Amino acid sequence: MSYDPHYILFRVELVEGRAEDLSGRNKIVRKIQVGDIYDLNYLAEAIVDAYDFDLDHCFGFYDYLDPRKRKEIYELFTDLPDVEHTPGAKGVENIDITSVFDHDGKKMNFLFDYGDGWKFIVKRMSLEKGRRIHPRVVFNDGKKVEQYPPCDEEIDPEDSTHYLSDDCPICRKLKKAGTKMRWHPDES
């Protein structure tokens, strides 16, 4: 039996980040196509790339933001050794996108960088036949949010303590463990 390739069209809306509620202003929306053969880790990378962010922090997909209501929890923490796991959470690696986003209209909250608190609403719009393998942004409303706004102070490039990813103990463990994440270019 041969595989008939499909891609999923997702609508992704950025609603909050860096302690700022973004939902009140004009929506910051991207629509992306992602091959149905990938896992949640790959979808997270596609979402972050669609907003021109660096994938340099942990993340999770949740049916509800309120921890007391959650029934579906998928976190990168679960895939990492030596990191405290959320009870009942599944990982993001090797969890097929289609097993979580199993029907059109299915929504999940995507939280990225728990420190800055970037919150997205991810909605499966449709499953389409096609050979779209790699993620592609098919709609960009043109609005941009900076993940790391310019810093007013002068930063010594030799002092890695100024990089945000080095401030996060979990990110340091990820880096040490060799997890595939993109780091600031000045870091070694």
Side-chain angles (χ1 to χ4, degrees):
M1 188 158 121
S2 68
Y3 169 72
D4 195 14
H6 290 82
Y7 63 84
I8 302 173
L9 177 64
F10 290 98
R11 181 185 187 278
V12 182
E13 180 181 347
L14 176 60
V15 294
E16 192 174 321
R18 254 187 289 106
E20 188 179 345
D21 183 358
L22 303 170
S23 60
R25 61 186 206 178
N26 293 334
K27 297 178 191 296
I28 303 172
V29 175
R30 306 288 186 266
K31 289 184 182 176
I32 58 175
Q33 293 174 331
V34 180
D36 67 337
I37 62 172
Y38 293 106
D39 63 16
L40 288 177
N41 194 49
Y42 195 80
L43 176 58
E45 186 175 338
I47 293 167
V48 169
D49 282 349
Y51 284 86
D52 294 322
F53 284 9
D54 293 324
L55 185 60
D56 56 356
H57 289 279
C58 290
F59 57 85
F61 290 89
Y62 307 90
D63 54 351
Y64 290 97
L65 292 177
D66 182 345
R68 297 172 302 218
K69 294 182 179 181
R70 289 181 184 159
K71 293 183 179 140
E72 288 185 80
I73 306 169
Y74 304 90
E75 294 178 333
L76 180 60
F77 295 126
T78 304
D79 294 315
L80 304 174
D82 303 324
V83 176
E84 185 177 338
H85 300 168
T86 302
K90 296 178 182 172
V92 294
E93 295 176 356
N94 302 313
I95 302 288
D96 292 335
I97 295 171
T98 53
S99 69
V100 176
F101 290 92
D102 57 356
H103 62 276
D104 292 351
K106 171 77 180 269
K107 290 183 184 180
M108 293 287 283
N109 296 284
F110 173 64
L111 272 58
F112 171 68
D113 183 351
Y114 296 98
D116 281 347
W118 295 103
K119 295 176 185 165
F120 302 81
I121 298 172
V122 182
K123 179 181 179 181
R124 175 177 152 167
M125 302 295 290
S126 61
L127 178 69
E128 305 288 335
K129 276 190 174 184
R131 298 209 171 270
R132 168 85 356 238
I133 300 298
H134 301 291
R136 180 172 74 151
V137 176
V138 295
F139 174 79
N140 179 337
D141 64 8
K143 298 177 187 80
K144 184 161 173 59
V145 175
E146 290 183 332
Q147 181 181 9
Y148 301 116
C151 187
D152 292 336
E153 65 184 64
E154 192 171 317
I155 296 177
D156 177 4
E158 301 297 317
D159 183 2
S160 65
T161 59
H162 287 287
Y163 293 110
L164 293 174
S165 60
D166 280 341
D167 292 339
C168 174
I170 294 169
C171 291
R172 285 195 302 267
K173 281 185 180 181
L174 287 170
K175 187 175 181 181
K176 187 175 180 180
T179 300
K180 182 185 168 194
M181 296 177 78
R182 285 184 284 160
W183 300 92
H184 295 281
D186 294 334
E187 291 183 11
S188 56

